[in-house]
Amino acid sequence: MDEMKLKAYAKINLGLDVLCRREDGYHEVRMIMQTLKMYDRIILRKTKEPGIELKSNLFYVPENESNLACRAAKLLLDEFQPEGGIFIDLQKFIPVAAGMAGGSSDAAAVLYGVNRMFQMGLSKRQLMERAVKIGADVPYCIMRGTVLAEGIGEKLTPLPPMPSCKVLVAKPPISVSTKFVYENLNLDEIRKHPEIDVLLGGIKEGNLHKVASHMGNVLETVTIPNYPVIAKIREEMMRLGALNAMMSGSGPTVFGLFEDEDAAQQAYCSMREGDLAKQVYLTGIYNRK
């Protein structure tokens, strides 16, 4: 196999709670992650010459080891030392620096692809064990679907599929640093935490309204005061008929859940015509097969 085409899927957080800051500087989290039917396209090609080359359709995406996709390829090539190298053609469609794990998902897809192309023989579990060295979200992006994430995000428990619905995604023309958000998170001042257990119950019951009504993200306490446009997008989605709307990850992307497909389509058109968001997408829930 000298060439492989892959899809790297985006994620949202249906619930995101931060429990404490650890001594090593990381934060203990409890999150419910959900994959969307939005994806970057990746083509991997073997090369006769050793090394890693990456090209992207976006000029501002790094094409060196600061890109997680390159780091993922290097991790496996350094460990197994196969003959030749790899060329990565990365076509980005997931918004960048948006709280949707685009970079982590690219890395997960490359790990999967390099393992297959060079016949390294690693199981999904073995790939996930290596993936956490690249980033906390990368093991989840290998697993995909509806998942409870704990620890720093690497302790994963698969859940029943999220009820089907339409998801409106809107990113304002700003980027948010995850490091900035976590460094400015004051857990002592947070009075209301997401009810993750109730949210889990809604998923297990297949109750979309229960899921939507109990979504929550403690990182909004940092991001929204610094970027009020996030709250404006959330309010607009609710006005347009979303069951609920929330920031994903550390932001600034906002997503809204819609039960009615026509209402979702109208909301999509309205958000596209407005000036709050630069990137607007209408997609659906992706569940493991």
Side-chain angles (χ1 to χ4, degrees), residues 18-29 151-152 178-188:
V18 179
L19 307 180
C20 65
R21 184 184 176 94
R22 306 189 332 179
E23 290 184 4
D24 61 6
Y26 287 99
H27 287 78
E28 286 280 334
V29 297
I152 63 169
T178 300
K179 182 180 179 184
F180 167 83
V181 174
Y182 275 98
E183 284 180 349
N184 287 275
L185 181 66
N186 190 334
L187 291 172
D188 294 332

Side-chain angles (χ1 to χ4, degrees), residues 11-13 16 31 94-102 137 169-182 217-224 226-227 229-231 233 246-255 279:
K11 67 84 185 167
I12 53 174
N13 300 88
L16 196 166
M31 308 183 290
I94 301 170
V96 176
M100 300 188 75
D137 282 345
V169 174
K171 181 184 183 286
I174 56 173
S175 293
V176 174
S177 162
T178 300
K179 182 180 179 184
F180 167 83
V181 174
Y182 275 98
N217 182 348
V218 295
L219 300 185
E220 288 185 337
T221 61
V222 177
T223 314
I224 287 178
N226 284 279
Y227 304 97
V229 66
I230 294 169
I233 293 174
M246 190 178 80
M247 183 181 82
S248 183
S250 55
T253 300
V254 177
F255 69 91
Q279 295 169 276

Side-chain angles (χ1 to χ4, degrees), residues 12 42 75 80 115 151 160 173 199 208 213-214 216 219 243 258 269:
I12 53 174
I42 298 174
L75 182 75
F80 288 90
N115 178 51
L199 195 51
L208 180 61
S213 62
H214 288 89
L219 300 185
L243 296 178
F258 287 79
C269 293

